[in-house]
Amino acid sequence: MVTNTRRPALSWAGVAGTAHYEVWLNISRTDYDFAAPGNLLDLYTKVAEPTGTTYTPTWDISDRWTYKWYVVAVSGSGARTTSDIRSFSLYLPDIETVNDGVAIVNGARDLNKNGTVEPYEDWRQPIATRTADLLGRMTLEEKAFQMFYNVQSYPMSGWHFGPAQPADLNNVLISTAATRLGIPPVSAGDTTAGYQTTYPLQSALAAGKDYPLDYRLGDMQRKEELEVGARGTLSPLAEVGTKVLYPRIQEGGGENADVAAAQLRAQVAGLQGGPELNPGSVLATVKHWPGEGAGGEAGIVYDAVTIKYHMIPFRAAIEAGAVNIMPGYAGSSYLDPGGPGAGDSAKILNYLRQNIGYTGAITTDWLPSGAWVNAANAGSDVMGGADPGAVGFTMAGFEAQVPLARINDAVTRILRLKFELGIFDHPYGDPVNGPYRFHQPSYTALANQAARESNTLLKNNGVLPVKLNAGDNIVVAGARATDGAACCIWSSYFHPDYGSLTPLEAIRARAAKSGVNVYQDTGPSPKLAVVAVGEPSYTHATAWVDTQPYLPPDQLAVIQNFKNQGIPVVVVLTLPRPIVISDWNGLADAIVVTYRGGEETGPATAGLLFGDYTPRGKLPWQLPRSLDQVLKPGGTDTVADANESWDLPYDLGATDAQRAEIRAKIDAGQPVPTTYGNPLYPYGAGLTGWN
């Protein structure tokens, strides 16, 4: 473990006849091939070609716990001899000095305030040593509190549910320094599409398939959170969207498991700032294990074959170094027949550890207090959002009903990730000046780029790009035209703070540059109508009855009204989940899908309409041709009433023979062609030009 320099000297034994050596190091990169399988920690970069047997980096290496390196001896004839892989850790922290009652002793924070540096306080010690030492000093109560949230009221708790305003968060973090051992919390919240700068949801990013951009978005979120000491997020989702009626399909990575996997690798690496959790990371919480997109929160329906498809993104997240996974509410009839939901099912959690090989922490979703004991005994380490002061719950009861060995197991994982984050040595952010570095112009540009790349032009009968003359009129109408929230979901807390434009405002601003007039709802002699429709903001439920995935009559009537007047209609569709659009597809002269495109949805869409850029987004799911491809007539959202197979991709309108072929491809570990079924618009639909 290197603790005295950021440029450690590497040396090796010489090999006779060598002309030069190659030094390969697994440095943190921003240009990984995120679509390729494999652990990111096992990807190496050639950093030097010395002729001697030593090399010292010429740049400062950042804090990381698992640096690996090897040397290749290259002879004059080109013969190559490769060394074994060696490893080291590097940690040289900026020890934070804040007026929080914690003194600096021998260069380390004296967290227990006894005037000496214990092993757990000494940043020069390996993480395993620090973790074991601290665990041995903790009382049973202190250990149990590490498994709970609500540090605001219970400073011994291990977790803070964010996001909070910077000053409030700082006060909470400082309050924990007064506890006996000074163990800092991790602040994590549902910042599922950015922190202060809101980018598109994952399903929208799946339409763009720009994985380096996904990395940069995660990295942007990381930088904004670090400004004020927020160190976690309850995202991203590793769920594959194979069920039309699942309302939270919008948060996952679309219908293609390989696309979702690449996205997960990129986002996790971006949030971590590298291939593993480190002192510059935000803790990613990958959810919802073992996947709710296929069955929804009522129950997961995959079997021994189709589970392979739905595990692909989870495996990718682990390959990217994810060390916190959240189980969902749904149970699995395959993994635990007749059992409870994932968060308190020992069988479902054991599958994660034993079959997938996961060794990190498990944080439950928001379970009721009566489930916390069962969840802990089943193998969950953190009780998500759990308030130790809940009515009818006592920590003493929890401690009595959960074996000490299980508590020690959980707390060891929690402490380990906290040491990996470096928060014992640098627990705070900058609540005064940090907010001035939020939402920088470059961040807005990233969000705009992501929205542009995601926007999908489904059809165009020649009306786009807008070809009007100065003085011509456009009417903008529809339920989403002035809805500034539909771009995002409830967890995008801050996007209204930065002047996010509605579609009407954005189109009006862009049209003014071309001298075109924009009216709301009605206007004189319009040459074009832009009708913004779709679902308003939310995520845990749909705005409409879930068995009716189509536009409500009042929204459809707006499209029909302009068509009846002979006015060309561009439909701008907020599409957080697949719906049936067959009843108005023929009425629209052009259809632009914006999904939940983030805070720059308005300007990005206005730019597309006026031809400032060419479209490139592709549908991340199939769109049904009719409701009977989804449900039997009069059916409800149950397996018995489903015509689609909830656990299979690309099967809307598929025959039994096609479904058998899909299953065979999955079972063989082969890519599944996206051309099955008979949807109105197939997976991947979208024009990449104007015709």
Side-chain angles (χ1 to χ4, degrees), residues 403-470:
L404 177 60
R406 174 77 271 275
I407 292 177
N408 283 342
D409 179 49
V411 178
T412 295
R413 290 195 186 91
I414 295 166
L415 296 179
R416 184 172 63 212
L417 70 81
K418 288 185 175 185
F419 281 118
E420 289 172 347
L421 283 170
I423 59 175
F424 285 85
D425 312 305
H426 194 102
Y428 310 115
D430 182 355
V432 176
N433 298 305
Y436 292 104
R437 294 183 288 273
F438 289 158
H439 208 261
Q440 300 174 26
S442 62
Y443 296 170
T444 306
L446 273 182
N448 186 279
Q449 179 185 348
R452 287 184 173 211
E453 293 186 6
S454 298
N455 276 350
T456 302
L457 182 60
L458 273 190
K459 66 177 291 189
N460 182 27
N461 292 342
V463 296
L464 294 180
V466 172
K467 308 178 185 70
L468 302 183
N469 299 316

Side-chain angles (χ1 to χ4, degrees), residues 1-61:
M1 185 170 175
V2 178
T3 60
N4 62 347
T5 178
R6 293 199 176 279
R7 301 185 181 189
L10 308 178
S11 62
W12 54 92
V15 176
T18 296
H20 70 273
Y21 297 91
E22 296 175 354
V23 181
W24 293 78
L25 179 65
N26 68 340
I27 58 174
S28 299
R29 301 182 62 118
T30 60
D31 61 347
Y32 295 111
D33 180 0
F34 295 109
N39 292 324
L40 296 185
L41 273 174
D42 293 330
L43 300 180
Y44 296 86
T45 301
K46 183 165 63 175
V47 296
E49 290 189 351
T51 55
T53 58
T54 63
Y55 172 70
T56 300
T58 57
W59 76 100
D60 289 346
I61 296 176

Side-chain angles (χ1 to χ4, degrees), residues 148 326-330 340-345 349 363-376 378 380 382-387 390:
F148 284 80
M326 177 181 287
Y329 293 119
D344 52 350
S345 166
L349 299 184
T363 296
T364 73
D365 212 328
W366 272 216
L367 296 173
S369 59
W372 295 340
V373 168
N374 289 340
S380 291
V382 181
M383 307 299 106
D387 177 3

Side-chain angles (χ1 to χ4, degrees), residues 318-527:
I318 294 170
E319 288 177 343
V323 292
N324 197 26
I325 287 180
M326 177 181 287
Y329 293 119
S332 167
S333 57
Y334 170 65
L335 296 178
D336 189 0
D344 52 350
S345 166
K347 292 180 179 178
I348 294 176
L349 299 184
N350 285 343
Y351 188 93
L352 175 60
R353 297 215 182 275
Q354 296 171 7
N355 293 67
I356 307 297
Y358 176 68
T359 59
I362 296 175
T363 296
T364 73
D365 212 328
W366 272 216
L367 296 173
S369 59
W372 295 340
V373 168
N374 289 340
N377 285 329
S380 291
D381 303 312
V382 181
M383 307 299 106
D387 177 3
V391 175
F393 175 82
T394 65
M395 289 299 292
F398 181 85
E399 295 159 14
Q401 296 175 77
V402 180
L404 177 60
R406 174 77 271 275
I407 292 177
N408 283 342
D409 179 49
V411 178
T412 295
R413 290 195 186 91
I414 295 166
L415 296 179
R416 184 172 63 212
L417 70 81
K418 288 185 175 185
F419 281 118
E420 289 172 347
L421 283 170
I423 59 175
F424 285 85
D425 312 305
H426 194 102
Y428 310 115
D430 182 355
V432 176
N433 298 305
Y436 292 104
R437 294 183 288 273
F438 289 158
H439 208 261
Q440 300 174 26
S442 62
Y443 296 170
T444 306
L446 273 182
N448 186 279
Q449 179 185 348
R452 287 184 173 211
E453 293 186 6
S454 298
N455 276 350
T456 302
L457 182 60
L458 273 190
K459 66 177 291 189
N460 182 27
N461 292 342
V463 296
L464 294 180
V466 172
K467 308 178 185 70
L468 302 183
N469 299 316
D472 286 341
N473 299 330
I474 291 176
V475 171
V476 177
R480 304 284 75 81
T482 57
D483 185 349
C487 65
C488 310
I489 58 172
W490 65 274
S491 62
S492 300
Y493 300 92
F494 302 111
H495 80 266
D497 297 346
Y498 300 101
S500 183
L501 298 179
T502 66
L504 173 63
E505 292 168 337
I507 294 169
R508 180 171 282 149
R510 176 58 187 85
K513 295 180 180 179
S514 300
V516 174
N517 304 309
V518 172
Y519 294 87
Q520 182 179 353
D521 296 333
T522 185
S525 304
K527 297 291 183 66

Side-chain angles (χ1 to χ4, degrees), residues 58-133:
T58 57
W59 76 100
D60 289 346
I61 296 176
S62 60
D63 292 335
R64 271 234 330 255
W65 308 109
T66 316
Y67 278 110
K68 300 179 182 180
W69 64 287
Y70 66 89
V71 175
V72 179
V74 184
S75 71
S77 64
R80 300 169 65 85
T81 304
T82 303
S83 74
D84 293 334
I85 294 173
R86 307 176 186 183
S87 63
F88 64 92
S89 302
L90 189 148
Y91 188 40
L92 196 56
D94 171 22
I95 303 300
E96 204 158 23
T97 55
V98 174
N99 186 21
D100 61 355
V102 175
I104 306 299
V105 176
N106 192 25
R109 285 172 54 82
D110 181 19
L111 296 165
N112 66 357
K113 299 167 281 292
N114 69 347
T116 63
V117 176
E118 318 295 352
Y120 87 92
E121 298 166 331
D122 187 355
W123 53 269
R124 306 165 191 87
Q125 297 295 324
I127 284 177
T129 300
R130 299 182 75 180
T131 300
D133 178 72

